[in-house]
Amino acid sequence: MIENGKIRVFLLDDHEVVRRGVHELLSAEADVEVVGEAGTAAEALARIPATRPDVAVLDVRLPDGSGVEVCREIRSGDESVRCLMLTSFADDEALFDAIMAGASGYVLKAIRGSELLSAVRDVAAGKSLLDPVATARVLERLREGGGPKTDDRLARLTEQERRILDLIGEGLTNRQIGEELHLAEKTIKNYVSGLLSKLGMQRRSQAAAFVARMQVEKH
């Protein structure tokens, strides 16, 4: 719910210069108020619930994780927060991740200031900014969906790795997975590194999206 006619915005970007620039751009507008900032995923997860923004502008690539993971986590707790992903790179994998995490929009950092303002306003108003053509392409790929390829990759995993992959898909952290399986957090970290390697992935968010993709294919 937008209070006082102002859109409350939270900024997450690990580059202070980018954050400052976006902050100044948004704060200059009468209908926008920047209510908080963070430079890491951990800071954002701690601060966003307290600042209760209407829109969270989230950098996709972060030193301690991914803005997509932050989006998924925040929206699982409060669906009223709309997430606008901000990234330097346009690729189907990141777009797919954003769609699955419930993001309302996905814009490139090369965007002009006026376009970013429009994007924030549109997302706050409940519109989706995900490019229909790109979204359709990703969902089409999902439906055709890596059938045998998906199964081949899963076959490389041990039973324990499969269990951990499922828990990653549920959004659990390494610590939470460790508690669930009665293993040390460091042990889980090693398992996660191993299963990502076997799946040919670099990021945890890719594994979460992979699980989501399998679930869609089952239905």
Side-chain angles (χ1 to χ4, degrees):
M1 187 72 187
I2 295 171
E3 298 170 18
N4 312 324
K6 286 199 173 192
I7 301 165
R8 296 165 58 82
V9 178
F10 189 97
L11 304 177
L12 168 59
D13 196 296
D14 60 326
H15 294 102
E16 188 192 350
V17 173
V18 174
R19 227 168 43 236
R20 190 175 293 176
V22 175
H23 188 144
E24 287 178 8
L25 173 77
L26 297 177
S27 298
E29 300 298 307
D31 62 335
V32 180
E33 179 186 0
V34 178
V35 294
E37 293 183 25
T40 66
E43 282 177 11
L45 289 171
R47 293 177 187 170
I48 288 175
T51 54
R52 304 190 58 217
D54 301 302
V55 179
V57 179
L58 308 173
D59 188 10
V60 170
R61 298 184 183 208
L62 297 163
D64 64 334
S66 158
V68 172
E69 291 166 8
V70 173
C71 172
R72 186 181 292 113
E73 189 85 16
I74 291 302
R75 285 188 54 78
S76 67
D78 184 357
E79 286 196 350
S80 71
V81 180
R82 303 191 184 278
C83 297
L84 179 62
M85 311 310 298
L86 192 59
T87 183
S88 307
F89 310 96
D91 68 82
D92 280 0
E93 191 71 49
L95 176 58
F96 174 83
D97 289 355
I99 293 168
M100 297 309 296
S104 299
Y106 182 94
V107 294
L108 295 178
K109 286 186 178 177
I111 192 170
R112 290 202 302 271
S114 59
E115 293 172 335
L116 179 59
L117 280 166
S118 297
V120 167
R121 288 180 178 125
D122 285 348
V123 166
K127 297 178 187 171
S128 172
L129 295 186
L130 293 164
D131 174 35
V133 176
T135 303
R137 187 173 70 239
V138 170
L139 295 178
E140 184 60 35
R141 198 185 78 194
L142 180 60
R143 276 193 293 273
E144 292 169 357
K149 183 180 163 199
T150 301
D151 296 338
D152 287 349
R153 287 200 284 180
L154 279 179
R156 298 176 200 161
L157 303 184
T158 65
E159 192 176 327
Q160 186 76 301
E161 286 170 337
R162 282 289 300 271
R163 198 172 296 137
I164 290 169
L165 178 64
D166 286 340
L167 293 172
I168 289 173
E170 290 173 25
L172 271 63
T173 63
N174 286 351
R175 180 175 296 173
Q176 290 168 327
I177 293 171
E179 288 168 0
E180 180 87 15
L181 301 179
H182 309 291
L183 292 169
E185 188 177 348
K186 190 175 179 184
T187 304
I188 299 299
K189 193 175 180 182
N190 291 337
Y191 268 118
V192 172
S193 297
L195 72 87
L196 287 178
S197 176
K198 287 182 181 180
L199 294 172
M201 298 172 184
Q202 286 82 44
R203 302 192 304 277
R204 189 189 186 88
S205 59
Q206 290 175 300
F210 180 72
V211 175
R213 189 181 296 143
M214 288 191 299
Q215 288 166 349
V216 171
E217 286 169 2
K218 281 179 192 168
H219 298 306

